Amino acid sequence: LAKTTQPISMDSYEGQEVNITCSHNNIATNDYITWYQQFPSQGPRFIIQGYKTKVTNEVASLFIPADRKSSTLSLPRVSLSDTAVYYCLVGGMNTGFQKLVFGTGTRLLVSP
Amino acid sequence: GAVVSQHPSRVICKSGTSVKIECRSLDFQATTMFWYRQFPKKSLMLMATSNEGSKATYEQGVEKDKFLINHASLTLSTLTVTSAHPEDSSFYICSATLYSGRAGTDTQYFGPGTRLTVL
């Protein structure tokens, strides 16, 4: 399973764009990249998932370079409620299921 | 998105008793579910993979006799913490994989977690 490396913490202010980068040098060909958000005492919430280039949904964008050894989660115009831990995971399909291993995550603090 | 529920949300029990935690995929079938535990301010640690109709696969260091997993149907997996002790107190989270039918787009959804406190 590919290991991921993220900054331990980041600080931002309301209204700013936040970019969290994740390194996954050993990503395999069939791995794809998924980001989750977790609030205290809650289960992780799916944010976005991608394989290459750029993926965008209503809450975030995910940028993946051609070599796929890293990815960047972009949160536009963060608010106080975006204060949470963000996890980057890589995993692929193997015999029909996806086994995910969580890294340390990035603790994002958004201030007024 | 798909919804995964857990019951109970929190439980307090005496040392030596057993506790069962249920994980359900509410609007989709899940051949595979996963169980994690999380300590305060730490990341999630994968405990085991629960496969419908077969034995669970445990991660290294996780006692299978301590943490019994049963995946009785395509929408239900249970984790039983047997003879619980204070060191088993933790936040237990399950997840289920929603298969999209297209390679590389299956997604894992997580339950809200169960807070176990063993006195």
Side-chain angles (χ1 to χ4, degrees):
Chain A
L1 295 171
K3 180 180 177 181
T4 60
T5 303
Q6 303 174 233
I8 296 296
S9 64
M10 293 183 68
D11 295 320
S12 183
Y13 293 96
E14 282 189 293
Q16 290 189 333
E17 178 185 76
V18 171
N19 296 307
I20 306 175
T21 297
C22 177
S23 296
H24 27 81
N25 292 315
N26 296 324
I27 190 168
T29 303
N30 64 340
D31 284 345
Y32 48 102
I33 302 151
T34 312
W35 284 79
Y36 289 89
Q37 175 193 56
Q38 187 182 28
F39 298 111
S41 296
Q42 294 186 27
R45 183 178 75 102
F46 173 83
I47 301 175
I48 198 166
Q49 182 171 286
Y51 184 81
K52 61 181 179 181
T53 62
K54 177 184 175 182
V55 180
T56 298
N57 62 21
E58 61 276 9
V59 297
S61 294
L62 178 59
F63 298 92
I64 306 168
D67 65 6
R68 304 202 324 122
K69 294 183 182 299
S70 67
S71 60
T72 299
L73 173 72
S74 181
L75 304 172
R77 298 179 298 283
V78 295
S79 63
L80 297 178
S81 62
D82 291 318
T83 293
V85 179
Y86 292 82
Y87 293 99
C88 158
L89 296 101
V90 295
M93 295 303 298
N94 183 20
T95 65
F97 65 89
Q98 176 190 16
K99 179 175 173 178
L100 298 177
V101 176
F102 281 76
T104 58
T106 297
R107 194 171 296 273
L108 174 65
L109 174 62
V110 180
S111 301
Chain B
V3 179
V4 177
S5 70
Q6 283 184 241
H7 178 79
S9 58
R10 57 176 61 234
V11 57
I12 301 173
C13 69
K14 294 182 178 180
S15 185
T17 62
S18 293
V19 175
K20 179 184 285 187
I21 303 170
E22 293 185 349
C23 176
R24 294 181 185 272
S25 54
L26 296 187
D27 48 3
F28 65 101
Q29 293 184 331
T31 307
T32 303
M33 293 183 173
F34 300 89
W35 287 96
Y36 299 80
R37 68 186 300 182
Q38 185 176 34
F39 293 107
K41 297 194 181 299
K42 297 293 184 182
S43 185
L44 284 76
M45 182 186 77
L46 179 64
M47 298 175 66
T49 303
S50 172
N51 302 299
E52 189 269 335
S54 64
K55 291 183 178 180
T57 303
Y58 291 83
E59 295 300 302
Q60 191 172 9
V62 178
E63 300 176 58
K64 59 181 67 176
D65 295 330
K66 174 74 170 177
F67 300 100
L68 300 179
I69 293 173
N70 186 351
H71 197 144
S73 75
L74 287 173
T75 60
L76 172 65
S77 174
T78 60
L79 168 68
T80 301
V81 183
T82 63
S83 186
H85 291 284
E87 58 266 29
D88 298 322
S89 297
S90 188
F91 191 54
Y92 292 88
I93 308 170
C94 72
S95 69
T97 300
L98 173 62
Y99 296 101
S100 69
R102 286 194 297 133
T105 60
D106 301 327
T107 303
Q108 200 169 129
Y109 291 94
F110 288 81
T114 296
R115 175 77 58 194
L116 170 63
T117 302
V118 184
L119 303 176

